[in-house]
Amino acid sequence: MAPRPVYFDCDTGIDDALALVYLMASPEIELAGIGTVSGNIDAKQAAVNTLDLLAMGGKTEVPVAVGAMDPLTHSFSGGVPHIHGHNGVGDVELPHTDRKPETESAADMLVRLAHEHPGELDVIAIGPLTNLAIALKQDPSIAELVHEVYIMGGAALVPGNLSAVGEANIWNDPEAAQAVVEAPWQVVLVPLDVTLENAFEESDREALAASDSALNRALADILNLYFDFYVGEYGRRMCALHDPLAAAIAVGQITATRAPNVPVVVDDTQGPGRGQTICDLRGQRTGTHDVEGAHVRVVLDTDQQLGPVLLARLLDYAG
Ligand code: RIB
Ligand code: CA
């Protein structure tokens, strides 16, 4: 089967880096283009990080476009250095490539790729959804052209992480997220409900550190700061696999076992609920029931733990 074309939108960040290398290692898909957005770090630095990781993995043909530096309605708040480092990759200095980003914007790249791959392009979005919202506004027909939109974001039945109810990717640009969930395309939402249940442990990080691949050793270094941050959440050094889980579901290595298509709205008011993904999960007690006309599949359970699958693919990847 020919690899499926993918547009990848990221705020490369530490778990974004894991997801990127996993996608580089996945023969099921072809990275047709990558767009960056401000979130964990600003979009420009996210593009530098992405280009450096692509070069370390030998994927220097993949185009990278810098996307939105600011959310739709306010200014970028400057990232989260205590989680992802001041440079977005755990303050690790990666070998620097001299490759530059494309001149087109991320939104222009997405619109172009949707038309170049009608009915086939999958979108994997693992940062704030600003670029997708801009692309939809620019050319609403992409909602008919794109095959599926996999999003790491939201919290259905669990608390948020950036606020009591807001998950970071949604909370950072609720207006963009609302535009994305209301557009008439098929979304697969991979929320904190499942991403916080999938983890890398110290043993996984050490396996990467012992790898003969410089890229895997760099990932092990990058993960250190992230592991320190997650002591607060899990009580020990480890990390959640937010972005890699969305990537693995898109690739097909992890299967969503409970994922009803239900109405989802994003609270884009200025109140305490701002950034909440309000998923209407009524009527799901007797099994998984799709709601007529709904087009956001909310992933609530998966068939297996991602950790071992992710580690195996990273260790196998020669790049
Ligand atoms: O809430 C987790 C999400 O926010 C992940 O995509 C992480 O990289 C950050 O962007
Ligand atoms: Ca991310």
Side-chain angles (χ1 to χ4, degrees), residues 162-252:
L162 216 131
S163 80
V165 294
E167 178 280 326
N169 289 337
I170 308 300
W171 189 92
N172 273 313
D173 197 341
E175 288 76 13
Q178 175 54 29
V180 168
V181 298
E182 72 185 9
W185 49 13
Q186 181 59 59
V187 170
V188 179
L189 190 70
V190 184
L192 294 177
D193 305 62
V194 283
T195 63
L196 282 167
E197 301 310 313
N198 285 268
F200 251 6
E201 299 287 352
E202 189 60 45
S203 57
D204 299 309
R205 200 191 66 76
E206 283 163 6
L208 290 173
S211 167
D212 57 9
S213 150
L215 178 53
N216 283 335
R217 293 196 300 274
L219 288 177
D221 292 343
I222 287 170
L223 281 167
N224 258 317
L225 184 67
Y226 209 42
F227 272 46
D228 290 342
F229 167 75
Y230 271 102
V231 172
E233 175 81 21
Y234 293 104
R236 69 179 189 278
R237 273 174 54 85
M238 57 183 282
C239 76
L241 296 172
H242 303 294
D243 295 341
L245 184 60
I249 290 171
V251 162

Side-chain angles (χ1 to χ4, degrees), residues 258-283:
R258 196 155 62 90
N261 245 334
V262 295
V264 174
V265 294
V266 174
D267 182 339
D268 55 10
T269 67
Q270 300 301 331
R274 181 169 174 79
Q276 182 172 12
T277 41
I278 303 165
C279 306
D280 188 348
L281 289 165
R282 291 173 290 177

